[in-house]
Amino acid sequence: MSGKLTYKQSGVDTKEAQAFVSDISTHVKRTQQNRKLHQAFGLFAAAYDLSSYSEPVIVTGCDGVGTKTEILFELDMLETAGKDLVAMNVNDILTTGGDPLLFLDYLGISNLETERPRITRLVAGMCDYLQDCNCILAGGETAEMPGVVPENIVELSGFCIGCAEKKDLIDPTTVTTGDILIGYKSDGFHANGWSLVRRVIEENPDVISESDLRTLLAPTRLYHDVVNDMRSMNIIPKAYAHITGGGLPENLERFLGDYGADLVIPAWDNEGAQKILAYVDEHDRFNTFNMGIGWVAIVKPEDVEQAVKAGPGGTVIGTLRPGHGINVTVK
Amino acid sequence: MSGKLTYKQSGVDTKEAQAFVSDISTHVKRTQQNRKLHQAFGLFAAAYDLSSYSEPVIVTGCDGVGTKTEILFELDMLETAGKDLVAMNVNDILTTGGDPLLFLDYLGISNLETERPRITRLVAGMCDYLQDCNCILAGGETAEMPGVVPENIVELSGFCIGCAEKKDLIDPTTVTTGDILIGYKSDGFHANGWSLVRRVIEENPDVISESDLRTLLAPTRLYHDVVNDMRSMNIIPKAYAHITGGGLPENLERFLGDYGADLVIPAWDNEGAQKILAYVDEHDRFNTFNMGIGWVAIVKPEDVEQAVKAGPGGTVIGTLRPGHGINVTVK
């Protein structure tokens, strides 16, 4: 049928898609060493059996890596982008007291043939983190969209599903005056505020060396270590907060209602971050970045002594008081 | 602090994000008229209580709208993009026998202030379809990514979670020789094969009028009507298939194993589609498009008479035989 168009001629190659599924299969298997899928349904949907729970409540969230991806791709740090995607989603699930069970990723690219090696590395990074927290890579979509997605860009979003027994759900409405806020160290800016970081670097190209920048681009810390240690110690916190865009104020105020706190945090021991912060508005830095604290647990006073030892990097940063609002000062 | 950069100056406006959440709140409420979320956890993750199920199995999938979005945005058909996103995901969940319970969306845009009216319409379209199938808009992420997402483009992906009692899961491994395949009409190309359609239109600008094109862009049909009718009739099909990219052959072969069928389908009663198909390779049209059949149920012979009446547009298209492979001819 000469003169008639094939799907491949329009820029979509279904054989490449099958080859990609094969490329990532060993990585996907790494995420099913303990937990297993129930049935795969010829790939229309993945199934997971919750019948061992007596009163299951599922928890779910969705997130991306934001404009950090652009710098990560420029510096060929694909594995880091995969880890960031997982951590941004899994940490949100961990705030509920639920176990992260299933993760799905969406990758939008311009051309699968040219991008296959890069997105395979991205998925490998995802699976490193998923394996760490015992969460299955249950599915995903790799969409080849010539003309829609710019070349060398990977559109990236992720979704995570967790589950908890109803009685074990963390209930942030139980917080009260006198509860203690414990902050846990971040590993850098994580995956928030990079539009601002990029702008600082654009306007001040010599502010930071490439090696400092690479350190600053470390993947978002996965806080399953803190959560697992709390469980081992039989501590049930009143609330957890994942400190993302909006910083400590916005991420705590969103659930604290009529309570607030005057936080005092340690100076951020991160040379690269400090170089960037010197060019950022003093108010916005606290309302954009995590400022060295990527995770907060709110606990009863009697649990503090143990809880600061959960995971590495815990420190008391404040006490809950009546009155809305989070203020932050540096020690 | 003159001379120091704010987050807004770098292109990200957190106040706009709050305003957008307010814009869509009435639409989101429409999706919670029957089912309700259990707890919202200050928005880190949404929770849904499954404790009324005795042996719950959750089912999940992730999909986008592909390059169809580009034409939809050019023609300002934002609501259709939202409906497509929901249908592409919900239909996959429906293949398992599970109820679609929770939906989450990811929207990546260049500028929230300029895009707010458009993405509000997109979410309204999503909620129309979600309301139809009683599925909650449980969360999502709207990522403002100046410099990464091109202007006027909305990166779009969705994610759906359903649940079934373990005993009610549809099990495609039960198919056997003599089972009957029933096809149900599609509403157009749905959201697959648009890279090829766009290429045909680019090379042959006069092939189709704008009004024919708008008809062809009708949202992906949501097949909850077929599934609900089957339940009312107490018919449990052996399998369902959602016919997306790859057409009837790929979407049936992926779970049929050593069985196959020689399908005879009705000529596609869609003027716009026929005009496009005239320019498409005869082999690729069956392996790219749904060719007028967007959903297939495989049932026992004794269930056929009733099952063809489920939802509108059902017709017998073939009988399962031993031997791998799906061949399709037009009546």
Side-chain angles (χ1 to χ4, degrees):
Chain A
M1 298 303 300
S2 70
K4 298 205 175 182
L5 279 167
T6 64
Y7 201 26
K8 191 172 175 181
Q9 284 167 339
S10 73
V12 179
D13 190 338
T14 53
K15 290 224 168 35
E16 281 288 330
Q18 289 159 12
F20 172 63
V21 169
S22 163
D23 289 346
I24 63 171
S25 64
T26 53
H27 298 299
V28 173
K29 271 184 206 134
R30 288 196 280 133
T31 70
Q32 288 204 58
Q33 291 179 331
N34 297 304
R35 297 191 165 109
K36 309 266 181 214
L37 290 178
H38 178 68
Q39 197 175 342
F41 292 103
L43 310 183
F44 290 110
Y48 189 81
D49 186 351
L50 296 179
S51 57
S52 64
Y53 286 81
S54 51
E55 291 193 303
V57 174
I58 51 173
V59 287
T60 183
C62 160
D63 213 344
V65 181
T67 54
K68 184 181 180 184
T69 50
E70 199 174 37
I71 300 190
L72 290 174
F73 296 156
E74 274 169 25
L75 297 179
D76 197 38
M77 295 171 71
L78 277 304
E79 290 83 357
T80 298
K83 288 177 184 174
D84 272 321
L85 185 65
V86 168
M88 289 299 286
N89 281 282
V90 166
N91 286 341
D92 279 352
I93 295 302
L94 291 173
T95 63
T96 67
D99 289 313
L101 299 176
L102 307 177
F103 183 81
L104 294 94
D105 67 301
Y106 172 91
L107 308 176
I109 50 174
S110 58
N111 183 296
L112 187 50
E113 192 178 350
T114 55
E115 295 291 348
R116 242 176 79 197
R118 296 205 317 148
I119 60 175
T120 299
R121 289 172 50 209
L122 200 151
V123 171
M126 282 168 36
C127 291
D128 287 349
Y129 257 29
L130 289 169
Q131 191 177 358
D132 285 350
C133 65
N134 203 10
C135 181
I136 298 173
L137 182 57
E141 170 70 10
T142 305
E144 190 173 17
M145 304 205 285
V148 174
V149 181
E151 279 177 39
N152 298 317
I153 287 283
V154 182
E155 288 182 3
L156 201 55
S157 57
F159 306 92
C160 192
I161 308 168
C163 190
E165 290 290 355
K166 201 193 279 189
K167 66 176 176 51
D168 296 334
L169 280 173
I170 288 173
D171 183 359
T173 64
T174 60
V175 296
T176 189
T177 303
D179 286 342
I180 306 296
L181 294 98
I182 303 175
Y184 298 86
K185 277 191 179 174
S186 65
D187 284 344
F189 287 131
H190 290 173
N192 290 101
W194 283 90
S195 291
L196 184 47
V197 176
R198 284 160 63 215
R199 184 71 182 270
V200 167
I201 296 173
E202 267 167 41
E203 296 195 0
N204 311 277
D206 298 328
V207 64
I208 191 168
S209 68
E210 189 182 310
S211 104
D212 273 354
L213 180 59
R214 284 182 183 271
T215 307
L216 206 50
L217 286 161
T220 303
R221 180 175 163 192
L222 197 58
Y223 289 97
H224 68 306
D225 51 357
V226 174
V227 171
N228 289 343
D229 285 352
M230 291 280 213
R231 280 190 195 172
S232 308
M233 298 170 184
N234 291 313
I235 297 172
I236 299 168
K238 304 276 193 95
Y240 283 129
H242 179 203
I243 309 306
T244 58
L248 286 158
E250 190 180 310
N251 285 289
L252 290 167
E253 288 169 359
R254 67 207 261 181
F255 67 87
L256 283 178
D258 293 335
Y259 295 95
D262 303 300
L263 305 180
V264 181
I265 62 173
W268 195 356
D269 178 22
N270 184 317
E271 208 179 327
Q274 293 294 354
K275 286 178 184 167
I276 299 293
L277 291 178
Y279 294 87
V280 175
D281 176 88
E282 300 240 337
H283 173 264
D284 266 28
R285 58 177 75 167
F286 291 101
N287 290 279
T288 303
F289 302 115
N290 64 57
M291 299 301 287
I293 304 287
W295 186 258
V296 172
I298 303 182
V299 300
K300 291 178 284 190
E302 58 265 40
D303 289 332
V304 171
E305 195 181 330
Q306 282 211 285
V308 289
K309 295 177 197 147
T315 183
V316 171
I317 59 171
T319 305
L320 223 58
R321 55 149 168 77
H324 181 78
I326 294 289
N327 305 309
V328 188
T329 51
V330 175
K331 202 180 289 178
Chain B
M1 299 299 300
S2 70
K4 297 206 176 182
L5 279 167
T6 65
Y7 201 27
K8 191 171 176 182
Q9 285 167 339
S10 75
V12 178
D13 190 338
T14 53
K15 292 226 167 32
E16 281 288 328
Q18 289 159 11
F20 173 63
V21 170
S22 163
D23 289 345
I24 63 171
S25 63
T26 54
H27 298 299
V28 173
K29 272 183 205 134
R30 290 196 280 132
T31 70
Q32 288 205 57
Q33 292 179 330
N34 297 303
R35 297 191 164 110
K36 309 267 182 216
L37 290 178
H38 178 67
Q39 196 177 343
F41 292 103
L43 310 183
F44 289 110
Y48 188 81
D49 186 352
L50 295 179
S51 55
S52 64
Y53 287 81
S54 51
E55 292 194 303
V57 174
I58 51 172
V59 286
T60 184
C62 159
D63 212 345
V65 181
T67 55
K68 185 182 180 183
T69 50
E70 197 173 40
I71 300 190
L72 290 174
F73 295 156
E74 276 169 21
L75 297 178
D76 197 37
M77 296 172 70
L78 277 303
E79 290 83 358
T80 299
K83 288 177 183 174
D84 273 322
L85 185 66
V86 169
M88 290 298 286
N89 281 283
V90 165
N91 287 342
D92 280 351
I93 295 302
L94 291 172
T95 63
T96 66
D99 290 314
L101 300 176
L102 306 177
F103 183 80
L104 294 96
D105 68 302
Y106 172 91
L107 307 176
I109 50 174
S110 58
N111 183 297
L112 187 51
E113 192 178 352
T114 55
E115 295 291 348
R116 242 176 79 198
R118 297 205 316 147
I119 59 175
T120 299
R121 289 172 50 210
L122 199 152
V123 172
M126 282 169 35
C127 292
D128 287 349
Y129 257 29
L130 289 170
Q131 192 177 356
D132 285 351
C133 65
N134 203 11
C135 181
I136 298 172
L137 181 58
E141 169 70 10
T142 305
E144 190 172 18
M145 303 204 287
V148 174
V149 181
E151 279 178 39
N152 298 316
I153 287 282
V154 182
E155 288 183 3
L156 200 56
S157 57
F159 165 75
C160 192
I161 309 167
C163 190
E165 290 290 355
K166 200 193 281 189
K167 66 177 176 51
D168 296 334
L169 279 173
I170 289 174
D171 182 0
T173 64
T174 60
V175 296
T176 188
T177 302
D179 286 342
I180 306 296
L181 293 99
I182 302 175
Y184 298 86
K185 278 191 179 175
S186 65
D187 284 343
F189 287 131
H190 290 174
N192 290 102
W194 284 91
S195 291
L196 184 46
V197 176
R198 285 160 63 214
R199 183 71 182 270
V200 167
I201 296 173
E202 266 167 39
E203 295 196 0
N204 311 275
D206 299 327
V207 65
I208 192 167
S209 68
E210 189 181 310
S211 107
D212 273 354
L213 180 59
R214 283 181 184 273
T215 308
L216 206 51
L217 285 161
T220 303
R221 180 174 165 193
L222 197 58
Y223 290 97
H224 68 305
D225 52 357
V226 174
V227 171
N228 289 344
D229 286 352
M230 291 279 213
R231 279 190 196 172
S232 309
M233 298 170 184
N234 291 313
I235 297 172
I236 299 168
K238 304 277 193 92
Y240 283 129
H242 179 205
I243 309 306
T244 58
L248 286 159
E250 190 179 310
N251 285 289
L252 290 168
E253 287 168 0
R254 65 206 261 182
F255 67 87
L256 284 178
D258 292 336
Y259 294 96
D262 303 300
L263 305 180
V264 181
I265 62 173
W268 194 357
D269 178 22
N270 183 317
E271 208 179 326
Q274 293 294 353
K275 286 178 183 166
I276 299 292
L277 290 178
Y279 294 86
V280 175
D281 177 87
E282 301 240 336
H283 173 263
D284 268 26
R285 57 177 76 166
F286 292 102
N287 291 279
T288 303
F289 302 116
N290 63 58
M291 298 302 286
I293 304 287
W295 186 258
V296 173
I298 303 182
V299 300
K300 289 178 285 189
E302 57 264 38
D303 289 333
V304 171
E305 196 182 329
Q306 283 211 283
V308 289
K309 296 176 197 147
T315 184
V316 171
I317 58 171
T319 305
L320 223 57
R321 55 150 169 76
H324 180 79
I326 293 289
N327 304 309
V328 188
T329 52
V330 175
K331 203 179 289 177

